[in-house]
Amino acid sequence: MTLKGPPMQIREFRPSDAAALAQIFHAAVHGIGARDYRPEQLRAWSPEPAPAAAWARRAADGRRVFVAADTQNQPQAFIELELDGHIDCFYCHPQVAGTGTGSALYERLEAEARSLGLKSLFVEASEAARRFFLRQGFTVETRREIERRGVALHNYRMTKELAV
């Protein structure tokens, strides 16, 4: 896929990516999430970047983590696929949001899901992610009310059947 923005490569996660993923997550929550969520919700969602070790542990639990890296091999976005078809995290740094980077990551994830023989995918999507996943053919099952650090937030349970 040709991206509109800076050249990116889609590759698998490396342990050296962990700190960058923590920063991308935090920047995306506060930069992209600010369009749809109140400041107190953003602080509850990501009060500060998580320790790199936490991200390294996540990536080592069997999930597939794909990273979009720039020409200096620095991560700019990432997406996670759990082996049951759950898309756990999907975050793009605000500087690359809207450039096609997220679409390229999703295409890689869906190809991996198909190679694993998965019949469907599901996600709990934020407002911005809901808009993205609708364009990828997902349907909204329900709006979910959740709580983080005592603050009410919402997201959407979404699913997509994968054609065989």
Side-chain angles (χ1 to χ4, degrees):
M1 166 174 218
T2 303
L3 304 178
K4 296 182 291 188
M8 296 278 170
Q9 64 168 320
I10 305 300
R11 61 169 173 75
E12 292 191 24
F13 170 84
R14 299 173 185 161
S16 60
D17 295 333
L21 270 52
Q23 293 295 328
I24 292 165
F25 174 89
H26 187 72
V29 166
H30 289 271
I32 298 169
R35 300 173 195 160
D36 301 300
Y37 295 93
R38 297 184 318 273
E40 64 270 15
Q41 291 174 310
L42 300 174
R43 285 189 301 273
W45 188 352
S46 181
E48 62 187 24
W55 285 96
R57 280 191 302 276
R58 286 176 65 85
D61 74 358
R63 70 185 67 211
R64 303 297 204 283
V65 181
F66 300 103
V67 173
D70 65 16
T71 55
Q72 284 76 47
N73 210 17
Q74 293 302 307
Q76 302 296 312
F78 68 99
I79 194 168
E80 300 175 345
L81 174 64
E82 295 177 335
L83 299 183
D84 62 356
H86 182 233
I87 300 170
D88 194 357
C89 284
F90 173 44
Y91 291 92
C92 294
H93 192 281
Q95 292 178 332
V96 300
T99 64
T101 300
S103 295
L105 275 171
Y106 175 77
E107 286 177 13
R108 178 65 181 92
L109 178 137
E110 188 172 305
E112 179 73 7
R114 290 176 189 282
S115 75
L116 292 170
L118 296 176
K119 306 271 189 265
S120 63
L121 297 171
F122 66 101
V123 65
E124 295 81 31
S126 68
E127 286 290 344
R130 178 184 59 84
R131 294 187 291 268
F132 174 87
F133 284 115
L134 284 171
R135 290 191 301 272
Q136 308 310 314
F138 281 71
T139 58
V140 174
E141 286 189 351
T142 188
R143 178 182 160 127
R144 301 174 55 232
E145 301 300 324
I146 59 174
E147 185 178 302
R148 291 283 185 269
R149 296 174 180 84
V151 177
L153 295 161
H154 69 276
N155 62 23
Y156 300 88
R157 162 96 178 180
M158 302 180 74
T159 58
K160 179 179 180 177
E161 297 300 315
L162 298 176
V164 272

